[in-house]
Amino acid sequence: MDGRDLVHSVKLVGTVQGLRVARSAWRRRRTDAWGLEPRGAERARVPGAVTGAEPQRGGGVVRFARSELRVLVAVGGAVFWGWDGAGPEPSYALAGACPEPDPRAELEPDKDGGWQVVSERLTVAVSRHGAVEVRTPGGVVLRRELPPRWWEPAAGGPARWLQRSEVPADARFFGLGGRSSGLRLRGGPYRLWNAGPGESRAPGDEPLSVTMPVQLVVSDAGTHLAFHDNTWEGRVTLREGEEGAGSGHDRPGTSELRMDGGPLRCWVVAGTPARVLQGWTALTGAPALPPSWALGPQHAQRGPGGEGEVRRTVAGYQERGLPLSVLHLGTGPELGVDHCDRRQAFAVDRGRFPDLPRLAADLRASGVRLVSLAGPAVRAEPGAALYDSGKAVGAFVRDARGDEVRGAGGSGERVYPDFTDPCVRAWWASLYEEPFARVFCGVGHETNEPVAFSPFGDPSLPRSARHSLEGRGGDHREARNVYGLGMARAGYEGLRKARSGERPFLFSRSGWAGVQRYGGICSGGTATGWPGLRASLSLALGLGLCGVPYSGSAAGGFGGTSSPELYLRWLQLSAHLPLFGTHAAAAVGGGEPWEFGPQVLEHAKAVFAERERLQPYFVTLSHLAHLTGAPYVRPVWWGTPEDRALRDCEDAFLLGDCLLVAPVLEHGADRRAVRLPRGRWYDTATGEAYEGQGRVLLEAPLSRVPVLARAGAVIPVRDDDGGLVLEVWAPAAGRTGGGLLVRDAGDGWERAEVERFTTRVDSGRVLVEREGGGEVGLPVRMRGC
């Protein structure tokens, strides 16, 4: 057993719970000892020299002495390659079947004995020793994959592999599921293993619940996304390049990907950032469209309180004039929150909640919807309905001997459903039907890396645990990273059946590529503190670049008591992220804004009022994300990736195309230096205009953070009387502008109608026109004139 587990458990929890977790860690280690075959002696292998090729529709197969490589250009421009027979399917990431091959792309001989596939947007060149280059139509190299290496156990078993890649010297790396260390991924190792917030790990490992082998690379040559479709545990080591001065040579940036098993296959999408994300979501699925109420303020209720506490919390918001759309309640299977009776699915303690349907109806009448927080762990208690029903369908993960794998929890042992089994997902989805038809309007999945609900996030499942993996069979090393994805799929399908007339609302703490098809990500476990505040921004931006546009974190963070200043700055940031929430664990007395004193409350009212004012804009952004894959929050280089200075900006972001938000991320700061993209920008608080490109210094008093509007922007906002208004910021002389509007048509499945507006200056007057002609049809409020 790992000594750190024992010391950590006894030190933090005490004898009973600590020894339970220590015993669970020892059991995992023992299970892996006899459940995983030792690798023993290994044989190293490289592709060798090219021996021939076979053209196919959209590409072909290039054969080498010891390997073969399949290259495919799909309709839409995405490029796939896979070694040793690896094809695009089966895949947890893809939304449905692989896209059709592009019939215009053909495999043809290249110079020096290599081969190439030329398409409209990219050229893929394969060298005679197995290197793969992705080039622009002009011949500029975006990415070069060096010949891979494999290590195969002599006694049989999964092969480890290594893939080294090179990118231009000026390139910057982003993505990998979003990283708390920063939006820009600097040199160093990055683990690909979904880990809980308290799980023991090596120094330097990030406690991330969402990791993806997705790199978005921005350089002067262009922007591209590379996705190595492999769910196994692995590690990426990045190194940024250096440009040679004078007659010196450039040193390219490098990526080294090591995986412990699974296929070596890759997708590449290239173009502008907007085109890349559109192509990526075409592969992995359109982001789920949240109901409009999920874009309002949310609060997570935690702790031992019951119905009285819930009503007091909601009344506290209403009495102080603070809007509230959603209240999260811990009720789901074995989340460990004291609301549930722990033996039935989504059942609450009737002593604390004697009539939950009535409570839900009363809250709904006041505009507040209940959302259940649920974890995957099920208490292993024979005779309990939930455990017995799961056992009857063989739902729980087993070890190599066929016994149920059990992990430690707050008050007993837990078992875990195998969400890589379609039958288990169907069983789990059936649990949602009754409670979500009558009481709850959505669900949040927590502790689904999976970890047990304990102060240290007990990992619970050994690497040797057996999973279905859609009938193929395999162990936890391959299933771990997609466990939360499978749970999200099951939950989404259950919600669609339970509430067929409404769009499902689901968010998850853990996931993998494609999780956006089912919902968003809540960055649970972000530590309280200024570094945690900065990390919450990095995670939201990074997830957006990986195709998950709906995300956010609760103001104040977790694991400590927030100061009033930190809480307010976090609230100001969170109000400009898609998922805007607070929780009842950010302060000693609670996490509600009034717990931090009258000054914070007064400023918080302005934050909530601004979020309500921008609600139509967030609704528009949610529909655009669903239609195009463009994230709500975007790096400041989104529209101008060729601007090198903007690539290094990590402390500000674009909210759609129209607004630039510069949150305060440091203690005591009352001013912010902001680097602007090109064009004119208006301070929305003062109306003062600034010209980009360049840096400006803006006032950032405790009452607000700098928010700037792009000149010419048309932003749909809510007026004081609740009506819809177009807020128009005057374009610069000789320039034009515009904006989009998608009206809130309710929370059903109605088709979205995108309305486009343009702005221009004519004879000194700002004109707003509907694209395609016709009346604007809405009140217009001019700003910046």
Side-chain angles (χ1 to χ4, degrees):
M1 142 181 167
D2 192 332
R4 288 178 300 174
D5 288 328
L6 177 59
V7 173
H8 198 43
S9 59
V10 175
K11 180 179 179 181
L12 292 182
V13 177
T15 57
V16 177
Q17 176 64 5
L19 290 177
R20 182 181 293 125
V21 173
R23 183 178 61 182
S24 178
W26 174 79
R27 184 187 297 161
R28 285 194 310 275
R29 191 173 182 87
R30 184 188 63 177
T31 300
D32 284 342
W34 49 256
L36 293 176
E37 292 290 337
R39 297 195 65 87
E42 295 180 318
R43 293 187 295 262
R45 177 168 62 86
V46 295
V50 67
T51 60
E54 177 187 344
Q56 297 175 347
R57 189 165 176 262
V61 176
V62 182
R63 294 188 174 86
F64 299 86
R66 290 175 290 276
S67 299
E68 67 177 31
L69 173 69
R70 179 187 176 190
V71 180
L72 166 71
V73 177
V75 172
V79 173
F80 170 85
W81 63 80
W83 287 92
D84 290 347
E89 302 173 274
S91 170
Y92 280 100
L94 297 188
C98 172
E100 288 293 315
D102 185 344
R104 299 168 297 176
E106 296 181 356
L107 182 67
E108 58 188 35
D110 195 12
K111 59 185 179 180
D112 298 328
W115 294 81
Q116 67 175 5
V117 180
V118 180
S119 68
E120 181 181 2
R121 298 180 182 175
L122 293 173
T123 295
V124 183
V126 182
S127 78
R128 59 195 179 99
H129 291 293
V132 180
E133 284 188 353
V134 180
R135 305 170 184 160
T136 67
V140 179
V141 177
L142 291 175
R143 188 180 190 90
R144 184 170 189 263
E145 305 274 356
L146 302 178
R149 292 177 63 89
W150 292 268
W151 288 267
E152 300 171 336
R160 298 184 297 118
W161 53 262
L162 164 67
Q163 177 68 74
R164 291 191 175 97
S165 311
E166 294 179 348
V167 296
D170 66 289
R172 294 290 183 263
F173 294 98
F174 305 91
L176 296 184
R179 296 283 162 160
S180 60
S181 58
L183 170 64
R184 170 184 158 197
L185 303 179
R186 291 167 171 80
Y190 296 88
R191 190 184 184 195
L192 298 173
W193 182 256
N194 288 354
E199 187 173 341
S200 62
R201 51 196 175 273
D205 287 341
E206 297 189 38
L208 291 182
S209 303
V210 184
T211 63
M212 306 178 194
V214 178
Q215 296 178 20
L216 190 124
V217 183
V218 182
S219 68
D220 289 352
T223 301
H224 74 272
L225 180 148
F227 168 54
H228 288 88
D229 192 355
N230 186 311
T231 69
W232 279 67
E233 180 178 7
R235 187 174 296 271
V236 180
T237 303
L238 302 177
R239 188 186 70 175
E240 293 182 344
E242 292 182 2
E243 294 183 290
S247 61
H249 294 288
D250 289 349
R251 189 192 74 187
T254 62
S255 167
E256 181 181 279
L257 175 61
R258 293 177 179 268
M259 302 298 288
D260 289 344
L264 173 46
R265 56 185 180 177
C266 182
W267 284 95
V268 170
V269 184
T272 64
R275 175 170 283 184
V276 167
L277 264 295
Q278 187 170 22
W280 174 237
T281 53
L283 283 174
T284 60
L289 183 63
S292 57
W293 50 262
L295 297 170
Q298 307 186 33
H299 181 79
Q301 190 74 29
R302 299 174 183 271
E307 178 176 335
E309 182 179 337
V310 169
R311 291 187 182 274
R312 283 193 297 272
T313 298
V314 174
Y317 274 87
Q318 294 172 341
E319 291 167 3
R320 294 166 176 84
L322 299 173
L324 183 65
S325 295
V326 182
L327 190 136
H328 303 167
L329 196 62
T331 60
E334 297 307 312
L335 180 60
V337 180
D338 289 331
H339 298 310
C340 63
D341 75 0
R342 305 174 182 228
R343 289 171 295 180
Q344 298 181 25
F346 305 102
V348 299
D349 185 338
R350 293 192 178 276
R352 295 187 174 96
F353 293 89
D355 192 347
L356 191 60
R358 180 174 57 84
L359 172 63
D362 292 346
L363 295 182
R364 182 71 177 267
S366 64
V368 180
R369 291 166 171 82
L370 278 183
V371 165
S372 174
L373 299 178
V378 173
R379 187 170 179 177
E381 182 180 338
L386 179 59
Y387 176 74
D388 288 349
S389 67
K391 192 176 182 67
V393 298
F396 304 122
V397 176
R398 297 180 177 274
D399 60 25
R401 296 176 176 174
D403 298 325
E404 290 177 351
V405 175
R406 301 192 174 193
S411 60
E413 292 185 324
R414 306 291 192 263
V415 290
Y416 296 85
D418 180 7
F419 292 113
T420 70
D421 187 330
C423 295
V424 176
R425 290 197 298 267
W427 166 74
W428 188 265
S430 70
L431 303 178
Y432 288 59
E433 186 168 351
E434 192 273 337
F436 288 92
R438 296 195 309 121
V439 177
F440 299 110
C441 297
V443 66
H445 290 162
E446 297 195 348
T447 66
N448 58 334
E449 292 82 9
V451 297
F453 192 84
S454 67
F456 5 82
D458 174 32
S460 304
L461 294 181
R463 282 170 164 75
S464 61
R466 305 300 298 172
H467 291 264
S468 168
L469 291 165
E470 315 308 315
R472 294 182 290 108
D475 60 43
H476 197 57
R477 294 172 298 176
E478 184 178 1
R480 169 78 171 202
N481 287 336
V482 293
Y483 189 89
L485 174 69
M487 184 179 181
R489 178 178 177 179
Y492 181 84
E493 292 170 353
L495 288 176
R496 286 206 62 170
K497 185 176 181 180
R499 308 181 68 88
S500 58
E502 301 177 11
R503 300 194 299 270
F505 174 52
L506 182 148
F507 63 86
S508 177
R509 192 172 82 179
S510 181
W512 202 66
V515 70
Q516 77 276 357
R517 299 191 294 264
Y518 313 116
I521 293 292
C522 181
S523 303
T526 307
T528 298
W530 293 96
L533 171 60
R534 187 177 291 270
S536 66
L537 172 58
S538 299
L539 290 167
L541 287 169
L543 285 167
L545 294 179
C546 291
V548 187
Y550 183 84
S551 67
S553 65
F558 294 83
T561 300
S562 176
S563 69
E565 179 194 7
L566 173 62
Y567 179 83
L568 182 58
R569 292 306 194 188
W570 209 313
L571 196 70
Q572 291 164 343
L573 168 62
S574 185
H576 292 94
L577 300 180
L579 199 164
F580 172 35
T582 58
H583 67 100
V588 174
E592 298 82 3
W594 56 88
E595 295 288 347
F596 294 88
Q599 183 185 31
V600 170
L601 175 60
E602 191 64 28
H603 297 329
K605 288 181 179 179
V607 173
F608 279 79
E610 180 64 8
R611 176 65 179 227
E612 287 294 286
R613 194 180 76 88
L614 290 175
Q615 176 77 358
Y617 187 47
F618 274 95
V619 170
T620 297
L621 293 179
S622 71
H623 282 274
L624 295 179
H626 177 70
L627 293 172
T628 70
Y632 307 60
V633 293
R634 310 164 185 178
V636 292
W637 49 257
W638 177 261
T640 54
E642 68 277 5
D643 188 332
R644 293 191 178 190
L646 290 180
R647 292 179 205 161
D648 297 336
C649 179
E650 301 178 273
D651 59 359
F653 61 94
L654 298 175
L655 180 57
D657 283 331
C658 298
L659 295 177
L660 188 153
V661 183
V664 174
L665 306 175
E666 297 177 352
H667 168 63
D670 58 5
R671 291 191 297 175
R672 266 296 318 263
V674 182
R675 181 170 292 280
L676 300 178
R678 63 175 175 241
R680 177 175 294 177
W681 295 84
Y682 295 96
D683 187 321
T684 58
T686 66
E688 187 172 352
Y690 299 92
E691 296 294 333
Q693 302 162 316
R695 291 173 66 89
V696 296
L697 188 63
L698 302 177
E699 296 297 319
L702 193 61
S703 59
R704 62 179 176 85
V705 295
V707 178
L708 297 100
R710 190 190 301 272
V714 178
I715 307 173
V717 299
R718 183 177 288 169
D719 204 358
D720 294 338
D721 62 1
L724 185 61
V725 175
L726 297 181
E727 186 173 85
V728 178
W729 291 87
R735 303 283 184 87
T736 60
L740 304 174
L741 165 66
V742 179
R743 299 175 190 257
D744 185 359
D747 301 324
W749 299 94
E750 296 82 1
R751 181 179 176 84
E753 295 293 335
V754 180
E755 303 175 55
R756 294 175 169 83
F757 302 91
T758 59
T759 60
R760 60 187 176 91
V761 178
D762 184 17
S763 301
R765 296 175 58 244
V766 177
L767 300 182
V768 182
E769 300 168 310
R770 180 184 293 272
E771 192 175 276
E775 296 293 327
V776 172
L778 289 168
V780 174
R781 179 185 300 143
M782 298 302 305
R783 302 287 303 273
C785 295

